[in-house]
Amino acid sequence: MATTERTEARTAAEILAGTRDLVDPALRTAVDTLPSPVRRIAGYHLGWWDERGRPAKADGGKALRPALTLLSAEASGGTARDALPGAVAVELVHNFSLLHDDVMDGDTTRRHRPTAWTVFGANAAILTGDALLALASDVLTVADNPDPGGTQRMLAGAVQDLIAGQLADLVLEERREVTVRECLGMAEGKTAALLACACALGATLAGAPPERVAALRGFGSRLGLAFQAADDLLGIWGDPTVTGKPVHSDLGRRKKSLPVVAALSSDTPAARELADLYHGDGPLEGPDLERAATLVEQAGGRTWTHEQADALLEDALRLLATADPVARTGAELTALARRATRRDH
């Protein structure tokens, strides 16, 4: 994946496949250093083996964050291998957050298979997430990292923002009234911070000057918000065969995602009926679940979130242009950004 190895831009699917080919061996090497019981749970979560430790080829995720790290290094004139420690680190942090999210949200399915906590127990899944987080910082201590302390602080800052965003999400779920501004602010920490860090790490590991690092960080941050908007749409209207989660899964938990908050803020008859449904007790089920999805759409939540995702993506691409990336890599980052914000993936 070095800059000199390619002359034509790849498709997003090719980028993600190439990222997996490069990152997975290094990721396995890192995970292999964990204590055996933790390694077993981590490998199950990552799709490498089943609950008994037998080899499996389950879905390990899209590899969006490590792909952004590798491409940001190439966009800065370096190579993908320069940024490999950063790519592994952000993938470990991402999976730390997923292990914890699944426990907190009570999700029983991820990537088309039972979540780790339902197989090994909530406490074991939480501790495995903690181990991945500690390991993420450790992988940045390689000898050829030009700024190990700086990159570790960069990653730690993103983790703090991610945790603050996750906490804000929990707080907002307990409140009856939530604004769109608050919802976007939560997403800046919960989702955008790690994508921004992924891009900044790649540029830093390639030796980019501060202004280029900042531009690529900004690109990742806006892309993260666009990605969250698209993901919130999938949480209501996504195809379960693609998302690996039940249809209307976010509505079933009465989650205050962007489409829901936008709909509830619309001051329409549909919004008022939706509020009556959403502010009840217990999970939404059956006809009420279908009705809630219809009301979100009627109140304009679906259309608004589509438009928001598109606007945020365009903001991200404008920031990418200011980083003056290598032409081919700029095209690949653009293709990856557009793929990440599709509402059918």
Side-chain angles (χ1 to χ4, degrees), residues 62-333:
K62 293 183 286 292
L64 171 62
R65 291 152 190 84
L68 289 171
T69 303
L70 302 182
L71 286 177
S72 293
E74 292 189 317
S76 302
T79 70
R81 290 198 174 275
D82 292 335
L84 187 55
V88 172
V90 295
E91 187 71 346
L92 288 168
V93 169
H94 176 53
N95 282 282
F96 139 76
S97 72
L98 296 182
L99 282 161
H100 283 209
D101 282 355
D102 287 343
V103 174
M104 289 186 288
D105 293 342
D107 284 340
T108 58
T109 303
R110 178 172 293 280
R111 299 167 179 163
H112 309 282
R113 69 201 306 229
T115 48
W117 76 267
T118 66
V119 176
F120 301 99
N123 291 338
I126 290 170
L127 290 170
T128 301
D130 294 343
L132 295 185
L133 178 58
L135 184 59
S137 180
D138 187 55
V139 300
L140 291 172
T141 62
V142 293
D144 55 352
N145 183 345
D147 186 9
T151 52
Q152 286 180 314
R153 288 190 295 273
M154 188 182 295
L155 186 67
V159 171
Q160 294 294 338
D161 289 341
L162 185 158
I163 291 171
Q166 180 66 65
L167 180 58
D169 192 19
L170 294 174
V171 171
L172 295 182
E173 291 302 308
E174 297 297 322
R175 284 177 34 195
R176 185 179 180 90
E177 303 295 333
V178 176
T179 68
V180 168
R181 182 185 295 272
E182 289 173 322
C183 201
L184 286 170
M186 176 270 294
E188 284 181 354
K190 183 178 178 181
T191 304
L194 190 55
L195 269 71
C197 179
C199 294
L201 275 175
T204 299
L205 289 166
E211 59 272 17
R212 176 169 274 168
V213 174
L216 286 166
R217 179 189 290 277
F219 160 71
S221 179
R222 301 309 281 179
L223 174 59
L225 288 175
F227 176 82
Q228 185 61 62
D231 196 59
D232 283 353
L233 289 166
L234 291 173
I236 300 177
W237 295 284
D239 181 351
T241 63
V242 176
T243 65
K245 294 185 177 183
V247 67
H248 306 330
S249 59
D250 282 357
L251 295 179
R253 299 199 311 268
R254 302 179 190 272
K255 186 176 178 64
K256 293 185 178 70
S257 62
L258 277 169
V260 171
V261 173
L264 289 172
S265 303
S266 68
D267 193 26
T268 61
R272 291 187 281 276
E273 184 180 344
L274 176 64
D276 290 339
L277 272 178
Y278 228 66
H279 296 146
D281 295 324
L284 287 174
E285 298 175 332
D288 284 345
L289 197 57
E290 293 286 347
R291 182 60 180 160
T294 298
L295 290 169
V296 171
E297 188 158 8
Q298 289 178 346
R302 188 174 190 174
T303 297
W304 181 89
T305 307
H306 271 289
E307 293 172 348
Q308 188 74 7
D310 290 341
L312 288 164
L313 173 61
E314 292 310 309
D315 281 349
L317 296 180
R318 280 193 289 272
L319 285 164
L320 174 60
T322 68
D324 192 24
V326 175
R328 172 190 42 73
T329 311
E332 292 187 348
L333 281 165

Side-chain angles (χ1 to χ4, degrees), residues 1 6 8-19 71 74 328 331-332 335-336:
M1 289 184 65
R6 302 191 312 272
E8 296 183 0
R10 297 166 296 171
T11 66
E14 290 170 338
I15 294 164
L16 294 172
T19 296
L71 286 177
E74 292 189 317
R328 172 190 42 73
E332 292 187 348
L336 190 62

